[in-house]
Amino acid sequence: MVVGGAPALVSQLVGHTNSVNRVILVPNDAALISVSDDRTLRVWIKRSSGDYWPSICQTLEWCVSALALENFHLFVGLESGAINHYKITEDLNRITLLRIYSSHQLRVSDLIYDSDRDWLLSVGKDKTFHWYTGETGRRLGSYVAGAWCLCLAFDRISNFAFIGDYSGGIHMVKLEEGEEFKFVTTLKGHAGSIRSLIWDEEKQILLSCSADKSIFIWEIGEGKGNAIQLNCHRERVNDIAYCAPSRLLLSFGVDKKMVAWNLRTERKPFALWQESNECQECRLPFFWNVQRIWQEKNVNFKRQHHCRRCGRAVCGECSPNESILPGYGFEYPVRVCKPCYQEIPEEELRSSTQTHSILIEPTCVDFDYSKKLMAVGASDNVIRLYDVAACL
């Protein structure tokens, strides 16, 4: 099944003078909150004219890099590593500073607040993940990664935290009651920094996007352990948004494209690349297999390639064809070996995605299914609101 139509531009919010780092659509209100490298925190409310105007514009001492909102508790991460905790009034016209967390040594990258446990979770470029109790502001625990920590997701049912880092790893940590935690594993598959993480509690899957231009679906629940790769963007994927009820994933890249992925479509895990000293189709040695070339007195310069469908190591002569492989997550032509090219069934060639040109380079995204509304911060410092009803 192919997903629906294109998003429709509803409004443009102009006011920030530097990169918009985070934007949040306020639940149950015609309003949104944004933060930027221009050091401002802004609350935008929809007026009777249909336009959005700031009801709050707070200038802080540092660039504002992260944002979390739940039950009118607003947490703001700063370039300095501090986190400001505000209480915002229900009419969204006033905020009160409640506490300042001296959290990280460098820029705060991402924040999550769990109001049920009263936990604040944060990651920063100082390579650390912290979690706090909101009642007293006391730090409950810390985890240190090997690279900048850039994004965060949290399973509120089982207390698993997922931490995406600059090297492409996703650290999985189990938070226990009190101050204990257990490191579980590191999910490896991306070849570039992790830009965004989303956890689907119902399906027990983790969604990730990366600077390596790819998106991964990690099937963690029920012990599956599968990793399904999605490829359509030609440049870095900056952010993703997910609609759980319709299982629609939206991805946004530096290539100024929005791709709508229907996750109801069954896809196969990507084939692991095999390594060999010879082509696994014609059995001729690759150029580095000097001993075999010398023994056979047959000088050749065969390079190693990989079939994206079966993962075998093959030479160029045995993989001259390219094909889209939507059934394996490839929406653009990729290399396939001769046997795979000849036996690709029709269902593996049937795409269930749509690509839309949005003419901007998105920096951050938020999505509200109940409103059928999407907010996109862009590199031109403008926030755009889209009606996505046609996409669902």
Side-chain angles (χ1 to χ4, degrees), residues 128-143:
T128 60
F129 161 63
H130 302 311
W131 66 102
Y132 301 84
T133 172
E135 182 180 0
T136 62
R138 183 172 62 90
R139 183 183 296 176
L140 296 176
S142 300
Y143 170 78

Side-chain angles (χ1 to χ4, degrees), residues 327-360:
Y328 289 82
F330 291 99
E331 296 292 335
Y332 52 76
V334 291
R335 183 184 295 271
V336 291
C337 64
K338 287 181 179 179
C340 284
Y341 187 76
Q342 295 168 358
E343 65 183 31
I344 298 175
E346 183 179 348
E347 57 267 20
E348 287 187 13
L349 298 173
R350 193 177 299 121
S351 177
S352 62
T353 68
Q354 281 197 353
T355 302
H356 306 286
S357 177
I358 53 177
L359 304 178
I360 56 171

Side-chain angles (χ1 to χ4, degrees), residues 36 65 68 75 127 150 196 237-238 275 292 296 299 314 338 345 392:
S36 167
S65 53
F75 296 87
K127 307 180 184 179
L150 301 181
S196 183
V237 184
N238 272 347
E275 298 299 329
R292 170 101 178 268
E296 297 180 357
V299 178
V314 290
K338 287 181 179 179
L392 303 177

Side-chain angles (χ1 to χ4, degrees), residues 179-247:
E179 303 180 13
E180 299 297 323
F181 75 93
K182 177 183 178 182
F183 171 75
V184 179
T185 188
T186 299
L187 304 177
K188 296 181 179 180
H190 285 294
S193 60
I194 309 298
R195 307 292 297 184
S196 183
L197 294 171
I198 296 176
W199 174 252
D200 183 343
E201 292 183 353
E202 180 183 354
K203 298 296 181 181
Q204 295 285 289
I205 60 173
L206 179 70
L207 306 171
S208 63
C209 69
S210 170
D212 65 6
K213 312 172 192 177
S214 71
I215 300 160
F216 271 68
I217 305 171
W218 306 90
E219 296 180 330
I220 293 174
E222 300 177 359
K224 292 181 179 179
N226 293 329
I228 298 171
Q229 190 174 7
L230 306 178
N231 295 273
C232 188
H233 292 279
R234 295 293 190 170
E235 299 290 342
R236 181 183 71 230
V237 184
N238 272 347
D239 208 350
I240 51 178
Y242 181 56
C243 173
S246 63
R247 300 213 65 205

Side-chain angles (χ1 to χ4, degrees), residues 178-325:
E179 303 180 13
E180 299 297 323
F181 75 93
K182 177 183 178 182
F183 171 75
V184 179
T185 188
T186 299
L187 304 177
K188 296 181 179 180
H190 285 294
S193 60
I194 309 298
R195 307 292 297 184
S196 183
L197 294 171
I198 296 176
W199 174 252
D200 183 343
E201 292 183 353
E202 180 183 354
K203 298 296 181 181
Q204 295 285 289
I205 60 173
L206 179 70
L207 306 171
S208 63
C209 69
S210 170
D212 65 6
K213 312 172 192 177
S214 71
I215 300 160
F216 271 68
I217 305 171
W218 306 90
E219 296 180 330
I220 293 174
E222 300 177 359
K224 292 181 179 179
N226 293 329
I228 298 171
Q229 190 174 7
L230 306 178
N231 295 273
C232 188
H233 292 279
R234 295 293 190 170
E235 299 290 342
R236 181 183 71 230
V237 184
N238 272 347
D239 208 350
I240 51 178
Y242 181 56
C243 173
S246 63
R247 300 213 65 205
L248 177 69
L249 174 66
L250 304 175
S251 60
F252 303 82
V254 176
D255 53 9
K256 301 181 180 180
K257 292 180 180 179
M258 183 195 86
V259 181
W261 305 85
N262 179 9
L263 297 194
R264 288 195 178 101
T265 301
E266 184 177 351
R267 296 179 176 87
K268 299 178 181 179
F270 67 94
L272 295 176
W273 285 7
Q274 303 175 29
E275 298 299 329
S276 176
N277 288 325
E278 64 179 15
C279 173
Q280 294 177 307
E281 179 63 23
C282 67
R283 297 300 173 184
L284 291 178
F286 291 125
F287 71 90
W288 64 79
N289 193 349
V290 178
Q291 183 178 4
R292 170 101 178 268
I293 294 174
W294 175 259
Q295 289 173 349
E296 297 180 357
K297 302 296 189 289
N298 181 20
V299 178
N300 69 80
F301 296 96
K302 287 188 176 293
R303 293 180 57 198
Q304 177 180 257
H305 302 281
H306 288 91
C307 173
R308 298 318 193 262
R309 186 170 181 267
C310 67
R312 292 192 306 161
V314 290
C315 65
E317 288 80 1
C318 293
S319 57
N321 301 303
E322 291 188 341
S323 174
I324 61 170
L325 295 172

